[in-house]
Amino acid sequence: MQIRMFVWFLALPLAAQYRAGVSRIDITPQPGYAMGGYAARTGSATGTHDPLQATVLVLESGNQKLAWITADLRSFVSTRVGEEVKRRFGIGHTVISVSHTHSGPLTWEDRNHPWYTQAEDKMIQAVGEAAKSAQPATLATGRASVYLGFNRRKVSEDGKATMQWRNESKLPSHPVDPEVTVLVVNGPTKPLAVIVNYACHPSILGPDNLQFSADYPGAMRQALEASLPGALALFVQGGAGDMNPYRDKEPVPAGFAVVKEAGAELAKSALAAVQRAKPITGALQISSAITDAIGWTTAMIGDGAFCLLALPGEPFVEHQLTLREKSECATSMLAGYSYSAG
């Protein structure tokens, strides 16, 4: 599936309320590093199919500054990143959102490995580069929908749940959330970044795959960026705790073709959301807290134009649906698998 090139941006008003900068850095470990994601996987990584990357958006409004790091990792917890970002660049809030790819490296199980510190260093470096490149910006939000997966928890009439890992026939399941939410960041002459929020496990590639891969979020970025030259796409996982791709654990090499197809479908939907995005204005308000080593962040733009809730762990799709239903914000985004480091 291909997306026709479409160059689009919202014109800036006379006085932009925000400043924004973006950057990207490769965080792929060397071959031989242990992979995470599946207990059934045997053997370490033999190489890289597509690079694991950290993509950063720095957003400023008045004295409020946010560094949003999105990474092709299963998990990643680091107080050091937030502390260094605050010390070096004066950014008070840092959120690390991972895609939860099951074709990435071990993370918290092997935090003493040199790669972990190197990944932290690279994230800090990327935040600095994004902050240095900050320029006047405007924001917009949009929505679209696409069905890439199903609810893997099959609940019977007696209330018992069984796991259905794969659903190649695309039989109906409940609950699911097909919504794709985008936050578009426009510079003076072109789009700078598109944050794409969607809920589905990046587990198209299964335990037989021994190559590092970002799974479908990486394929989505590549396709979307081809349609928006000069912009960086950031994938933010939603409430995917019970959402699996239809062709879960597709054996390689066929799995890589399925990844590309799913990424292209998501990119097409994200582009549609970008095309219909509506401008949002107002002050950026951010609140972060770390309680019992659990970090979370809330943010709001304007008087309820856009709200973000960034949570660690694996929230379920019900949490995402409930947030949207109960929220008083026009657009609400649940960022799962997200650690607030500042």
Side-chain angles (χ1 to χ4, degrees):
M1 185 180 298
Q2 294 182 340
I3 300 176
R4 290 182 299 175
M5 182 167 291
F6 183 83
V7 180
W8 178 93
F9 64 91
L10 289 175
L12 278 170
L14 292 179
Q17 291 183 289
Y18 316 102
R19 290 181 61 81
V22 293
S23 67
R24 175 171 289 162
I25 196 165
D26 192 312
I27 56 172
T28 314
Q30 294 296 315
Y33 192 90
M35 298 181 72
Y38 299 108
R41 178 181 275 135
T42 58
S44 300
T46 59
T48 299
H49 179 271
D50 52 285
L52 308 181
Q53 299 171 323
T55 309
V56 176
L57 168 68
V58 169
L59 186 62
E60 306 175 9
S61 173
N63 62 356
Q64 294 285 285
K65 297 181 181 181
L66 170 67
W68 200 347
I69 304 167
T70 61
D72 299 318
L73 298 171
R74 186 193 47 154
S75 60
F76 200 83
V77 175
S78 173
T79 56
R80 176 172 171 258
V81 170
E83 291 167 354
E84 287 298 301
V85 164
K86 184 179 295 185
R87 184 181 68 84
R88 297 187 192 184
F89 314 120
I91 299 174
H93 303 276
T94 298
V95 176
I96 303 172
S97 294
V98 299
S99 67
H100 197 54
T101 177
H102 281 37
S103 290
L106 287 180
T107 51
W108 54 266
E109 304 97 330
D110 201 11
R111 292 184 65 179
N112 294 324
H113 193 282
W115 170 83
Y116 206 95
T117 301
Q118 293 166 6
E120 291 178 317
D121 291 340
K122 289 182 177 181
M123 290 179 186
I124 295 165
Q125 175 188 339
V127 171
E129 292 172 355
K132 186 177 180 180
S133 70
Q135 56 187 288
T138 57
L139 306 177
T141 60
R143 299 188 187 117
S145 64
V146 66
Y147 286 89
L148 297 183
F150 67 103
N151 197 305
R152 67 189 189 185
R153 296 177 73 249
K154 191 173 183 178
V155 181
S156 60
E157 292 183 359
D158 61 4
K160 294 182 179 180
T162 57
M163 298 301 286
Q164 180 183 3
W165 298 105
R166 186 176 167 93
N167 184 6
E168 189 172 355
S169 299
K170 300 183 179 180
L171 298 175
S173 62
H174 179 81
V176 297
D177 185 6
E179 182 165 306
V180 180
T181 305
V182 299
L183 176 65
V184 186
V185 183
N186 288 287
T189 61
K190 64 178 183 180
L192 297 176
V194 180
I195 293 176
V196 179
N197 180 227
Y198 188 71
C200 185
H201 256 71
S203 56
I204 294 176
L205 300 171
D208 65 318
N209 173 45
L210 296 180
Q211 291 182 282
F212 289 125
S213 173
D215 209 282
Y216 77 83
M220 179 280 296
R221 285 200 311 268
Q222 185 177 16
L224 185 58
E225 290 172 3
S227 299
L228 296 171
L232 293 183
L234 296 82
F235 178 79
V236 173
Q237 187 62 263
D242 51 355
M243 295 297 298
N244 266 28
Y246 290 121
R247 293 173 69 173
D248 181 72
K249 302 179 186 66
E250 184 76 13
V252 296
F256 292 116
V258 179
V259 162
K260 186 175 181 180
E261 179 182 345
E265 288 185 35
L266 181 56
K268 182 178 179 180
S269 182
L271 185 60
V274 169
Q275 291 175 333
R276 62 182 69 138
K278 301 290 180 63
I280 58 174
T281 59
L284 172 64
Q285 304 172 56
I286 312 169
S287 175
S288 297
I290 299 177
T291 305
D292 296 329
I294 297 175
W296 53 268
T297 291
T298 60
M300 182 171 68
I301 296 174
D303 188 15
F306 173 85
C307 285
L308 166 70
L309 174 59
L311 295 174
E314 284 196 295
F316 280 13
V317 72
E318 292 95 327
H319 298 118
Q320 181 168 301
L321 292 166
T322 301
L323 173 66
R324 192 178 304 135
E325 177 187 356
K326 301 295 184 181
S327 173
E328 297 180 359
C329 297
T331 300
S332 295
M333 183 180 290
L334 175 66
Y337 311 87
S338 298
Y339 182 74
S340 298

